[in-house]
Structure formats: structure tokens, C-alpha cells
Amino acid sequence: MLMEDIWETLRHPPATPLTPIPDPICADLGVRLWVKRDDLLQMGNDEGFLGNKWRKLQYNLLAAREAGEQVLLTFGGAYSNHLAAVAAAGKLFDFRTVGIVRGHPPREGNVTLRYAAACGMDLRYVDRATYRRKNEIVFLEELRAQYGSCYVIPEGGSNALALEGCRALGEELAGQCPERPLYVATACGTGGTLAGVATGLPPGALALGFPVLKGGFMTEAVAGFIAQAPAPVEAGWRMINDYHFGGFAKFNPELIRFINEFKRQYEIRLDPVYTGKMIWGVLDLIRRGYFPEGSNIVAIHTGGLQGIRGFNERFGSLIL
Ligand SMILES: *Cc1c(COP(=O)(O)O)cnc(C)c1O
């Protein structure tokens, strides 16, 4: 693709499909389920830049270009999908990238960090105390002194422009699924995606967030993002705290079996950290009668596919 075409696609991405999931349980209980295929929102078949990270970076990349910045600087843990996405986007859109990584470099490295480095990201490891300063202005000034002028994206990418991108996603899927009542499910890490999507949904729709971290603090985080939204939020939103499987990146054999079976049945790959848990949760809620008859349920595939390789590297090729 020509460089100008790549930027044009970023400005006006094609709508991603809604794939129906004809699980018999849906027919039995009179509800319909779709997956919103943001996993297909890729450029050049790259597994790093897709899903909600695509939506969250979209307007940030445009703003960085507009401002004439040549370096993107961001923060993340060693397995962060966000770091991988910024690295991949830097390569695609011709930015230098700097990743401030929490903790020591893993002895054998890992797939995510090797991938980020291969995309050209300059990785800098900092101890946890330093990492905690990631939102401090003084720290950002120190980093700028070192790396020059740069466009800073917060950990997980959840800033105002990221929420804009996710709002567009909410509007897009609501337009594709005009029937009501409408429920929209998404996995939550920082809560930015859920907040953004909720701002794009029509009145009466309900956005459901599935936190992948334990602790129940996500409601506050999402409320904080929504309070900053430029327009009042008409849809409802709610957290479903029962499907984190023990915490971030925790899993059990049933979850792995489910992910592999889902791929066999529907040819949709789910990742074990975010989308696998969320879709498991949605199907479990359907089975328990959470959704009234006639409900239309859209589960957002937020991507995370690059995480599968790292997971398999750590735990031994569990995911097919
Ligand atoms: C980062 C990520 C999330 C979490 O998004 P937030 O906006 O931080 O809540 C969800 N799903 C996938 C696949 C992700 O990579």
C-alpha cells in the first residue's frame, strides 16, 4: 500500500463485519449473538496493530502527524498488547517508537518484546518505582530531554482521542445492528474501550464490561472516563465482575478448551487474556437467562491475537 493510502485507511477505516454466532443456546433462549470483528481491522496482516488498539491509536496517530511529531513514546508491561500495537503502528506509519517497559528484561525475552524490537521500538526497562511515575510531568520532561520531542501515549493508550476512536466503534456497530434491545459486551483492562463505546451507543442500549483484572475497581475508572466525554452518554453501562478467572492472565483448562472449540466451530481466534474470557462470560450469562428474550447481543472482538504466541511460549502451545 502507498503511504498516503495507509493514512487514508486510518482516517476512514472499512466497517468490520458482525459475524453471527449460531450457538444453539441462543435459539433455545430466544436471543441473538454476534461478534464484532475488530480482529479483522488489520493492515498488512499484522497481528500487532488491530482490534481496540487500532481504534485507540487511530486519532492519536493522526494527531501526532498533524503536530509534526516523529517519535511516539508509551508505557507497558512485558506482555502488553498496547506496546506491540504502538511498535507496529510506528513501523507502518513511519514513526520512531520508544517503549518504557515495567520491570527487568525477561531473561529469555518474550514474543511481545521481540516483536516490538523487531518493529524498531526502542525498549527501555525501568524498575517498578520509576514506572509508577509514568504520568508525572517531571518524568515526561526527563524522557523528552533524552529522546527529543515526542508524542506521549499513556499506558494502555486510554486518552481522550482513544475514547473518540472507540466511540466511532460504538456508533458503527449500533448502525449495523438496528434491532433492540441491544447489549454490547467488551473486555476491560483500563476501561477506556468500554467508556468510549458506551458514548457511541443509542439510548436504551446497555454496554457490559468484563474486567480481566480482579478487584472491582473498574466501575470507578470507567465513570472517570465517561465524566470527561464531550457529550452526555445516553446508553447505560455496567460491569460484570465474575469472569476474570482469578485475575490478569490467569486461566484454567476449561477456558483453553473453550477457546480452541470456538475457533474450530466459528473460525474465530480468541485470546486467553481478554476476548476468550469475555465471550465465555457472555455465553454463560445467556445460559443463566441474564438477557431477556429478543435481546441482540454484540460481543466486541478487541483483538489481542499477538498475545497468543506469548501465552503459548510460556505455557506450552495450549492454544491451537
Ligand atoms: C488492551 C485490550 C483490552 C482492554 O482495553 P481497555 O481499553 O484498556 O479496557 C481489551 N481487549 C484486548 C484484546 C486488548 O488488547
Side-chain angles (χ1 to χ4, degrees):
M1 244 203 266
L2 291 172
M3 203 60 198
E4 221 14 78
D5 294 344
I6 295 181
W7 281 104
E8 191 48 32
T9 306
L10 189 71
R11 241 173 255 121
H12 304 290
T16 60
L18 279 188
T19 302
I21 303 298
D23 190 302
I25 194 79
C26 297
D28 289 352
L29 296 174
V31 303
R32 291 192 290 176
L33 173 64
W34 290 269
V35 172
K36 172 68 171 163
R37 303 297 304 280
D38 269 19
D39 54 321
L40 302 177
L41 199 50
Q42 300 184 27
M43 285 168 152
N45 270 336
D46 194 301
E47 285 189 353
F49 186 53
L50 79 175
N52 69 335
K53 301 304 184 279
W54 200 109
R55 304 282 185 178
K56 293 172 92 170
L57 287 172
Q58 178 186 15
Y59 295 119
N60 279 294
L61 294 168
L62 290 164
R65 185 194 204 200
E66 189 73 15
E69 296 286 2
Q70 284 162 9
V71 184
L72 308 174
L73 182 144
T74 195
F75 306 85
Y79 294 92
S80 162
N81 290 334
H82 168 70
L83 269 191
V86 172
K91 187 174 171 201
L92 267 166
F93 294 95
D94 205 16
F95 291 100
R96 266 187 62 209
T97 54
V98 177
I100 309 296
V101 187
R102 184 185 56 228
H104 298 292
R107 233 175 300 141
E108 281 99 45
N110 75 45
V111 177
T112 302
L113 296 172
R114 282 199 299 275
Y115 170 84
C119 288
M121 183 173 254
D122 189 349
L123 296 169
R124 168 158 161 213
Y125 298 88
V126 299
D127 59 40
R128 279 157 198 274
T130 309
Y131 190 83
R132 255 179 257 121
R133 299 177 58 211
K134 62 189 181 293
N135 297 322
E136 285 177 21
I137 301 205
V138 189
F139 185 45
L140 297 180
E141 274 168 10
E142 284 167 28
L143 291 169
R144 284 200 173 94
Q146 204 171 340
Y147 295 102
S149 172
C150 41
Y151 187 90
V152 176
I153 304 172
E155 179 186 58
S158 293
N159 60 11
L161 290 175
L163 266 66
E164 267 307 291
C166 294
R167 184 170 70 82
L169 160 60
E171 284 173 354
E172 181 179 303
L173 72 85
Q176 291 170 309
C177 186
E179 287 169 63
R180 303 290 178 259
L182 174 63
Y183 294 85
V184 178
T186 191
C188 294
T190 63
T193 301
L194 181 84
V197 166
T199 65
L201 296 179
L206 186 63
L208 300 174
F210 291 73
V212 299
L213 296 110
K214 217 165 43 176
F217 53 83
M218 197 55 57
T219 302
E220 208 178 315
V222 173
F225 288 127
I226 284 186
Q228 294 162 29
V233 180
E234 296 171 311
W237 59 274
R238 181 177 300 166
M239 286 298 150
I240 309 284
N241 283 305
D242 309 321
Y243 299 101
H244 54 64
F245 286 73
F248 191 73
K250 299 277 196 324
F251 63 97
N252 66 24
E254 275 174 283
L255 178 68
I256 304 301
R257 263 199 303 279
F258 169 73
I259 287 171
N260 287 332
E261 184 56 21
F262 198 85
K263 181 184 170 199
R264 197 185 63 75
Q265 276 189 297
Y266 304 113
E267 292 177 39
I268 299 176
R269 295 163 73 205
L270 302 175
D271 80 292
V273 177
Y274 293 100
T275 56
K277 292 180 179 180
M278 181 273 296
I279 294 201
W280 164 291
V282 168
L283 285 164
D284 193 56
L285 289 180
I286 293 174
R287 216 168 284 124
R288 290 166 184 270
Y290 180 88
F291 303 100
E293 205 177 329
S295 292
N296 300 280
I297 306 153
V298 176
I300 300 175
H301 197 315
T302 44
L305 299 181
Q306 75 86 27
I308 296 176
R309 278 177 296 153
F311 185 88
N312 279 343
E313 185 179 62
R314 272 167 98 189
F315 300 112
S317 301
L318 294 174
I319 297 184
L320 302 175

